[in-house]
Amino acid sequence: MAYTDHRTLRRVLRREVAGTIGLLADEHDFRAMRCYDSFVFDDHTTYLKHMEALLRTRELQGSHTTVALFDPEDYAEYCAETGLDPDSHTSRTRFTAALASTGPTVPYDGRPLADLLPALVDEAVRHATWDYATTLLARLGTCASCGEDLGRAAFIRASHLLVRILDTAPPGERHLVCSVSGPPETLVAVLHADDVAGRLELDESEALEFTTVLAVGLATGSPGGLVMRISEPGRPDRVHGWRLRAYGLEPLTAGEVFDAYCTDAESGELISPESNVDYCAPPDLGEGPGQAHSH
């Protein structure tokens, strides 16, 4: 009887333990791990099938699991830096534990793995964008004349502009996209602002990433734009846009918004406009052009 009680108590405690699983999302990463003898899988499809079964079992047992993107190159670097043997399941476990606190993860919520994988990849892209944009702002340094942190000043300016955009927008759910062009690649950030009983609800991580990418565009003067789409039941969606300028936003006319949406970004060819969508000039933000930090 005592043995049964102990086993029951341990099962209860097991439900209190959160876990993280490192997932090899694509065939390329899977093949890279096959160079280790301790990695016993030889087929990516079979690997994903067993991984999904494990996730479902943990959920049925009442355990919370987060899924992290396992990158073989990052894993090799981690083992080299920590002196661990990369050909060991223990080393893989320790790397996955580190991912839980530093890398992109998504909670397992019972979705099929085929649906969870795109969300995990999107989260990894967001994480990489945030890291890169933050690094760019940090490299701006301080003003030689006044000592002000230029990256921080740009972030404050971007935060102010985002607040003005959301405050002046018509009612409805807002979907914002900010893109900043430049070497080596274009930075893109997305922000959803849900209108709940007249009160906006934002995802803090999305808002932070969006503001950081916008700050990079403002501070560097790189080509870029910001688009806001507003959806409200019973009305056509409304699309507004701005062109990024040094420390400011230049509103696009309704015609310019239409042209931007109805032109293929890669080929430059015209595409058909969406039905039930109005292309509009943006609301007045109530301020003049921004002034770049200069002396």
Side-chain angles (χ1 to χ4, degrees), residues 158-217:
S159 300
H160 169 75
L161 288 172
L162 178 57
V163 169
R164 292 300 302 148
I165 289 171
L166 295 175
D167 283 348
T168 58
E173 294 185 356
R174 287 85 156 172
H175 177 84
L176 294 87
V177 178
C178 179
S179 60
V180 177
S181 300
E185 59 187 25
T186 298
L187 296 177
V188 178
V190 177
L191 175 63
H192 299 87
D194 295 328
D195 192 344
V196 180
R199 178 173 54 87
L200 285 182
E201 292 189 354
L202 302 173
D203 181 280
E204 293 185 3
S205 297
E206 277 191 0
L208 182 61
E209 178 192 335
F210 190 93
T211 306
T212 304
V213 171
L214 177 57
V216 168

Side-chain angles (χ1 to χ4, degrees), residues 98-276:
L99 286 178
S101 59
T102 62
T105 62
V106 295
Y108 179 70
D109 53 10
R111 277 180 289 174
L113 208 52
D115 296 334
L116 187 71
L117 279 175
L120 181 58
V121 172
D122 286 347
E123 184 64 23
V125 171
R126 284 182 54 192
H127 195 272
T129 298
W130 155 251
D131 283 345
Y132 182 63
T134 302
T135 300
L136 286 179
L137 288 180
R139 287 176 178 173
L140 294 176
T142 57
C143 174
S145 298
C146 70
E148 183 176 15
D149 187 313
L150 297 176
R152 181 175 181 274
F155 186 87
I156 292 173
R157 173 64 176 163
S159 300
H160 169 75
L161 288 172
L162 178 57
V163 169
R164 292 300 302 148
I165 289 171
L166 295 175
D167 283 348
T168 58
E173 294 185 356
R174 287 85 156 172
H175 177 84
L176 294 87
V177 178
C178 179
S179 60
V180 177
S181 300
E185 59 187 25
T186 298
L187 296 177
V188 178
V190 177
L191 175 63
H192 299 87
D194 295 328
D195 192 344
V196 180
R199 178 173 54 87
L200 285 182
E201 292 189 354
L202 302 173
D203 181 280
E204 293 185 3
S205 297
E206 277 191 0
L208 182 61
E209 178 192 335
F210 190 93
T211 306
T212 304
V213 171
L214 177 57
V216 168
L218 297 176
T220 62
S222 301
L226 193 157
V227 174
M228 175 174 62
R229 183 170 184 145
I230 302 175
S231 301
E232 188 179 14
R235 296 192 56 178
D237 283 4
R238 286 153 291 170
V239 179
H240 309 277
W242 292 264
R243 186 179 293 109
L244 266 64
R245 289 289 182 256
Y247 271 65
L249 295 172
E250 179 182 295
L252 299 177
T253 66
E256 288 174 324
V257 176
F258 179 88
D259 289 342
Y261 255 74
C262 299
T263 303
D264 186 274
E266 295 184 0
S267 67
E269 296 181 358
L270 295 178
I271 55 178
S272 300
E274 293 184 60
S275 61
N276 205 36

Side-chain angles (χ1 to χ4, degrees), residues 18-87:
T20 302
I21 290 177
L23 183 66
L24 295 162
D26 59 47
E27 185 75 35
H28 178 269
D29 288 344
F30 180 84
R31 287 198 303 269
M33 292 302 295
R34 290 193 60 200
C35 68
Y36 303 117
D37 292 337
S38 60
F39 186 77
V40 298
F41 287 95
D42 57 12
D43 178 76
H44 190 229
T45 300
T46 302
Y47 162 83
L48 292 177
K49 178 181 178 181
H50 284 282
M51 183 65 77
E52 185 162 20
L54 174 61
L55 288 168
R56 286 178 174 172
T57 299
R58 286 183 54 83
E59 185 188 35
L60 290 174
Q61 293 173 343
S63 299
H64 174 77
T65 309
T66 56
V67 183
L69 202 61
F70 195 105
D71 186 296
E73 292 185 3
D74 290 345
Y75 172 64
E77 291 178 4
Y78 173 83
C79 289
E81 291 172 358
T82 57
L84 295 174
D85 176 12
D87 196 359

